[in-house]
Amino acid sequence: MINSQIAKLLFELADILEMQGVDWKPNAYRRAARGIESAEPVEKIYAEKGNKGLKEIDGVGEGISKHIEEFLKKGKVSEFEKIRTSIPPGLLQMIQIPGLGPKKVMRLYKEQKIATVEELESAIKSGKVEALDGFGKKSAEDILHGIEFVKRGTERRLLGEALPIARELCELVKGVPSVKKVEVAGSLRRRKETIGDIDILVTSNDSKKVMDAFIKFPQVQTVLAKGLTKTSVLLENGMQADVRVLKEKEFGAGLQYFTGSKDHNIELRKLAISKGYKLSEYGLFKGEKLVAGKTEEEIYDELGVKWMPPEMREAQGEIANSYNLPQVIGYGGIKGDLHMHTTWSDGQGTIEEMARAAQKLGYEYIAITDHSKSEHIANGMDEKRLTEYIKAIRKAQESAKIKIFAGAEVSIMKDGSLDYTDKDLKKLDIVIASVHSRFKQSKEEMTKRVLTALDNPYVHILGHPTGRLLNVREPFEIDIDAVFTKAKKNNIALEINSNPPRLDLKDSHVRQAVEKGCLLMIDTDAHAPKQLEYMELGIAQARRGWAAPKNIVNSWSLKEFEKWLKR
Ligand code: DGT
Ligand code: CA
Ligand code: CA
Ligand code: ZN
């Protein structure tokens, strides 16, 4: 939690300094912010190794380590506060809008006195912005679109942000005397890609004690409503959390109801009514008599429906077909992570460090997949470095306890050609092809581009197939069905990228791909050892898309997987 607070401060500061035209410092701050994001908790590092330990974090030097120290002691950094007050706060929100960088924001402020998102919106609508040098009609429209996108986005948080917070809260609730059961419900239990608010259900025979303790948790910022059955709070990160205390005999009914989805509940309640029952958050009733309520299973069972994982409860046919649902991939069902970056391109761990971390997670195999040469910002490898890199992976294999494939994430160029020649691709065990540039191509161009890449015989996987970044960037336009058809024909697996803002393919696309008979691969795209833990987020989306182990190449044993690689 502290790491992400400090990282956020540094990113903000970088934006401000860039607006003010300061050189190099913004990028140094961003680098440090990324380092801190993926480091161990700074309070732990500081407690164990002091300032020296902080300086070992990637990108953190003398200056920033002092700032972290100050933050740990005082909860703020005085120099940062000073810099922050040097610009109107609205400008920081303006920077978050896609299509607007620090330089453009500063110009809008200086030339037009626009200092808030609202002012910008009305300036665009009155035609003021498109008249500016270097903006134009198209760019003004893009900005307006971006404003709507950001407004929508900030209301919902990424699963990867909400889940750890919810788990931490649940742990604290478990520690309250008299508490027996604790479960997260709602969209979090269904592992939706974004989360509106956190719903927690508890059983206890002393509700008052639970609520009294809950509002005192360090994460709680404001108490919105406090009662004996429900308490709502605003957390420090801006999310709302609802806690409900349920009776033991109603727990299953409450869990079922508050897990949702709403549409799933409506369908289930209709079914109950058609069979002469009444279903509510308090139980399943026949007349006045409670016939089921203690567990979810007994409620579904009584209604003639087979219990299904929460990830499948979106009213997509799971109730009518409950006895014929696929056995979806389990959270422990992945045998190897096959998309990760190291210090050879833009990752923060070495090959050895990534392999060791993967082995600790229990994997049988991994692939190192650093960036190809056109990714200059990501330190992509030219042919000469590619050769050394493959050598380094083979060397690492000698002392590693798991299989390490030598791979690369090769960029798909604007015409569909790949960033390495076939001769170089041939040297790799595994090739992920991904679009990293020119997201604005027309749907026709983008589709043709990706289909062309999928015809390259050395490609095994299509990386993040729609290019979206949740709350940041819309997916590019592409005929996804045509892509799936081609992938199936050429025996190419489609990636489910587990990185929190990606989750690409998304759930409905997974379902579509599965129905088409395509193969999938779930991986993390980790840029640091700790990020290998993102895997569960991708597995969740696979489950939401009804994917089973047979659909997912890296749920297979090393032997089966290697056979597929050499297809
Ligand atoms: P969120 O918070 O927007 O990410 O989505 P949920 O699904 O967590 O929704 P939330 O927090 O409003 O409500 C939690 C669950 O309560 C929801 O999944 C289903 C149930 N629920 C809420 N409102 C209704 C309703 O009007 N009818 C029915 N049948 N169930 C509801
Ligand atoms: Ca919720
Ligand atoms: Ca709620
Ligand atoms: Zn990658």
Side-chain angles (χ1 to χ4, degrees), residues 106-259:
M106 210 53 191
R107 271 194 57 204
L108 289 167
Y109 175 57
K110 281 200 172 143
E111 295 171 21
Q112 300 291 318
K113 301 266 172 301
I114 297 171
T116 66
V117 175
E118 288 71 28
E119 286 169 11
L120 176 60
E121 208 171 344
S122 54
I124 294 173
K125 285 179 177 158
S126 68
K128 260 195 208 158
V129 172
E130 66 186 71
L132 290 177
D133 237 22
F135 279 83
K137 200 171 174 69
K138 176 83 175 62
S139 135
E141 269 169 18
D142 281 350
I143 296 170
L144 200 59
H145 190 230
I147 292 175
E148 281 158 25
F149 186 67
V150 168
K151 274 189 181 164
R152 252 187 294 136
T154 47
E155 286 158 19
R156 300 188 64 81
R157 301 305 180 86
L158 304 185
L159 175 64
E161 178 185 347
L163 194 56
I165 295 170
R167 282 186 177 141
E168 214 177 311
L169 273 180
C170 284
E171 279 312 304
L172 289 172
V173 175
K174 266 181 206 151
V176 178
S178 88
V179 166
K180 282 203 185 125
K181 288 194 183 118
V182 182
E183 290 272 4
V184 289
S187 50
L188 258 172
R189 184 160 179 248
R190 303 195 314 277
R191 300 291 193 268
K192 254 186 89 149
E193 60 186 35
T194 60
I195 304 299
D197 68 1
I198 299 175
D199 301 282
I200 296 176
L201 305 179
V202 181
T203 61
S204 156
N205 52 18
D206 191 346
S207 173
K208 184 167 183 306
K209 201 174 252 164
V210 177
M211 300 310 194
D212 286 347
F214 185 71
I215 60 168
K216 294 209 187 89
F217 288 155
Q219 292 86 338
V220 174
Q221 196 187 58
T222 319
V223 178
L224 301 171
K226 182 168 174 267
L228 282 180
T229 53
K230 181 185 172 190
T231 290
S232 296
V233 298
L234 207 59
L235 301 174
E236 254 179 1
N237 79 332
M239 289 193 89
Q240 185 180 323
D242 297 341
V243 177
R244 292 182 174 83
V245 177
L246 308 178
K247 294 197 184 97
E248 193 82 30
K249 64 170 185 183
E250 297 168 354
F251 188 73
L255 184 59
Q256 194 288 315
Y257 180 88
F258 290 111
T259 295

Side-chain angles (χ1 to χ4, degrees), residues 6-16 30 33-34 37:
I6 295 176
K8 195 170 159 226
L9 268 181
L10 286 167
F11 278 126
E12 228 174 66
L13 216 62
D15 287 340
I16 297 173
R30 287 189 187 112
R34 278 190 292 272
E37 267 180 339

Side-chain angles (χ1 to χ4, degrees), residues 342-406:
T342 70
T343 45
W344 281 88
S345 65
D346 60 348
Q348 289 167 9
T350 62
I351 298 168
E352 288 79 5
E353 283 164 345
M354 296 304 278
R356 238 177 289 130
Q359 187 217 331
K360 272 198 197 143
L361 292 174
Y363 291 133
E364 284 178 35
Y365 50 90
I366 58 166
I368 304 290
T369 54
D370 275 303
H371 283 289
S372 61
K373 63 172 185 276
S374 71
E375 296 308 300
H376 302 294
I377 310 169
N379 187 26
M381 303 174 291
D382 60 18
E383 288 77 2
K384 187 163 165 281
R385 280 183 61 227
L386 178 71
T387 309
E388 294 165 20
Y389 157 86
I390 297 173
K391 255 194 221 149
I393 294 174
R394 303 300 180 218
K395 183 96 187 35
Q397 179 70 80
E398 288 170 16
S399 56
K401 295 200 181 81
I402 55 176
K403 169 75 188 173
I404 311 176
F405 292 106

Side-chain angles (χ1 to χ4, degrees), residues 339-341 346 369-371 409 432 434 436 464 495 497 499 502 523-527:
H339 182 168
M340 66 185 74
H341 300 269
D346 60 348
T369 54
D370 275 303
H371 283 289
E409 184 180 21
I432 303 174
S434 308
H436 285 128
H464 39 76
E495 180 180 60
N497 187 307
N499 234 265
R502 285 201 185 271
D523 56 55
T524 61
D525 197 355
H527 283 68

Side-chain angles (χ1 to χ4, degrees), residues 544-565:
R544 290 178 57 80
W546 297 23
K550 68 168 194 235
N551 310 117
I552 300 161
V553 294
N554 57 330
S555 73
W556 303 346
S557 69
L558 175 60
K559 214 171 136 200
E560 283 173 287
F561 176 72
E562 272 191 304
K563 208 167 102 195
W564 174 76
L565 265 191

